């Protein structure tokens, strides 16, 4: 059969595209080389009955009512505000750094209106902010940078803060009050039955055929279609013509404790300076599941393995731009999502990216 669209990758990017294009009357063949839908946001029940995220913790947050309403067609939600503590020399402090962090770390009793002056007394003014080091030094100064950011970043990326674009550390704000939420977005919810069930509903359309454990390399030879939506790594699509784009990978170590109700006091604990892992997340906080035991995941960053993060720095951006130019000249293919656009996108940004790609395609059936 000739399909209107071949969609490569069944994560947020590919699934939203498949849903939009099929609803507009197109036939869609959706493939993924993995044996499940959902991409990195896939969740499942582990062998102990706990709902876990095999590819690391995924917390949905957005300021976009449009994105929230779009996804609400496929799921109900559970209100959840994520909180993270960072462990330094055995003591735990709120991260993002806030008034409580400063007061407990330095044994002070600052009030909200005094915290800004504290940061001002510590900050190292940087006239042109280019790197992640610039952004951290410019907002909180040397000591807090060393305690909370430099070690974590080195572990996570295998690079120094000064080697990464400002946008990486800029994801973490600095607070003057005692707000200890990781995100302050207006919509912070988890899909009430999990991400995978949300994806199943999104893809339950008669015009969508799903084929798992199927690679693009295989499908492009064996299938007939008019247009490709590609959500895998863009350098792979162009057969590494300009060299490979670096991605950061992770190894996930899952562990279950059968008789422990809660392993730690909050959803995630970060370890900026100790251990080979960056953080431990306990899923029951995220999902609200009640159970006698609990399941956690530790994240060990590594350079080899599945691509999880594009690495934002100028030389990689320059290589990506070459691929992007090629993408713009290529007919009958659209690149959507985190790996295809080499952007450090959150889930909501990927949904926005997919919706706008499909809006552009609408009208040009096939
Ligand atoms: P992916 O989910 O990576 O999907 C791409 C799919 O394409 C994959 O399933 C892959 O198997 C398939 N594919 C690739 N190449 C091929 C090929 N050649 N043939 C066939 N199939 C192929 N975002 C948030 O908003 N909140 C969070 O809390 C959050 N936490 C995260 C934690 C971790 C550890 C990671 C790694 C990411 C996190 N994210 C989070 C980001 C989020 O995972 C992404 O924004 C989103 O899942 C990207 O969707 P995507 O469809 O672009 O890519
Ligand atoms: N970061 C840090 N210390 C922390 C938390 C974050 O240095 O305790 C830096 C680090 O470089 C990290 C980046 O901020 O990669 C973004 O953090 P985020 O929690 O958004 O990472 P993600 O959840 O995407 O892995």
């Amino acid at each position: 059969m000739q399909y209107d669209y071949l969609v490569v990758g069944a994560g947020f990017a590919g699934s939203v595209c498949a849903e939009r294009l099929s609803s507009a009357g197109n036939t869609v063949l959706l493939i993924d080389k993995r044996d499940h839908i959902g991409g990195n946001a896939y969740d499942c029940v582990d062998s102990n009955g706990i709902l876990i995220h095999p590819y690391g913790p995924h917390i949905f947050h957005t300021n976009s009512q449009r994105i929230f309403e779009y996804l609400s067609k496929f799921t109900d939600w559970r209100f959840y505000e994520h909180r993270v503590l960072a462990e330094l020399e055995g003591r735990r402090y709120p991260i993002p750094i806030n008034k409580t962090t400063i007061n407990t770390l330095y044994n002070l009793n600052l009030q909200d209106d005094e915290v800004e002056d504290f940061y001002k007394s510590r900050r190292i003014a940087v006239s042109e902010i280019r790197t992640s080091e610039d952004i951290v030094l410019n907002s909180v100064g040397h000591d807090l940078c060393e305690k909370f950011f430099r070690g974590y970043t080195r572990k996570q990326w295998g690079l120094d803060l000064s080697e990464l674009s400002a946008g990486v550390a800029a994801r973490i704000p600095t607070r003057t009050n005692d707000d200890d939420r990781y995100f302050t977005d207006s919509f912070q919810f988890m899909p009430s039955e999990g991400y995978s069930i949300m994806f199943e509903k999104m893809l339950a359309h008669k015009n969508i055929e799903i084929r798992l454990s199927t690679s693009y390399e295989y499908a492009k030879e064996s299938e007939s279609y008019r247009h490709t939506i590609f959500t895998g790594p863009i350098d792979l699509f162009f057969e590494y013509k300009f060299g490979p784009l670096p991605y950061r990978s992770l190894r996930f170590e899952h562990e279950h404790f059968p008789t422990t109700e809660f392993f730690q006091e909050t959803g995630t604990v970060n370890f900026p300076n100790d251990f080979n892992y960056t953080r431990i997340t306990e899923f029951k906080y995220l999902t609200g599941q009640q159970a006698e035991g609990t399941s956690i995941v530790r994240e060990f960053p590594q350079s080899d393995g599945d691509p999880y993060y594009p690495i934002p720095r100028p030389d990689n951006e320059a290589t990506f731009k070459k691929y992007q130019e090629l993408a713009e000249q290529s007919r009958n293919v659209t690149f959507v999502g985190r790996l295809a656009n080499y952007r450090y996108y959150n889930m909501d940004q990927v949904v926005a990216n997919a919706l706008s790609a499909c809006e552009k395609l609408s009208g040009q059936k096939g």
Side-chain angles (χ1 to χ4, degrees), residues 8-14 31-34 36 38-41 55-61 183 214-217 230-233 236 250 252 279 299 307-309 336-339 345-348 350:
V8 181
F12 264 100
I31 62 163
D32 201 299
K33 63 180 183 177
R34 291 174 170 161
H36 58 73
N40 290 335
Y55 304 101
H58 279 72
I59 299 119
F60 184 78
H61 56 101
F183 309 111
T214 302
S215 73
Y216 173 63
E217 295 78 342
F230 192 78
T231 78
L236 178 144
L250 295 169
F252 300 102
R279 57 188 179 189
E299 295 172 51
Y308 290 123
Y309 293 85
V336 187
R338 180 151 152 147
L339 303 172
Y345 281 152
N346 292 327
M347 294 182 280
D348 64 322
V350 172

Side-chain angles (χ1 to χ4, degrees), residues 11-14 16-17 58-68 70-71 167-168 170-171 183 185 187 309-310 312 335-339 341-358:
F12 264 100
V16 170
C17 288
H58 279 72
I59 299 119
F60 184 78
H61 56 101
T62 189
N63 282 315
S64 164
Q65 182 154 354
R66 170 173 167 256
I67 302 300
F68 184 70
Y70 170 72
L71 292 175
V168 175
R171 290 168 63 89
F183 309 111
D185 300 42
F187 300 91
Y309 293 85
F335 294 87
V336 187
R338 180 151 152 147
L339 303 172
N341 285 306
Y342 204 67
R343 285 281 167 275
Y344 193 170
Y345 281 152
N346 292 327
M347 294 182 280
D348 64 322
Q349 295 171 301
V350 172
V351 174
N353 183 212
L355 291 177
S356 75
C358 292

Side-chain angles (χ1 to χ4, degrees), residues 57 59 84-86 95-96 132 136 145 147-154 156-157 161 164 167-172 182-183 250 270-272 278-279 299 309 338 344-346:
I59 299 119
V84 180
L85 295 170
I95 180 92
S132 277
V136 177
C145 177
K147 285 188 161 72
F148 290 95
F149 288 92
R150 198 174 306 274
Y152 187 104
T153 300
R154 161 74 55 194
Q156 168 71 12
W157 300 96
L161 275 169
L164 286 159
V168 175
R171 290 168 63 89
I172 314 300
Y182 205 62
F183 309 111
L250 295 169
N270 286 357
F271 297 88
T278 48
R279 57 188 179 189
E299 295 172 51
Y309 293 85
R338 180 151 152 147
Y344 193 170
Y345 281 152
N346 292 327

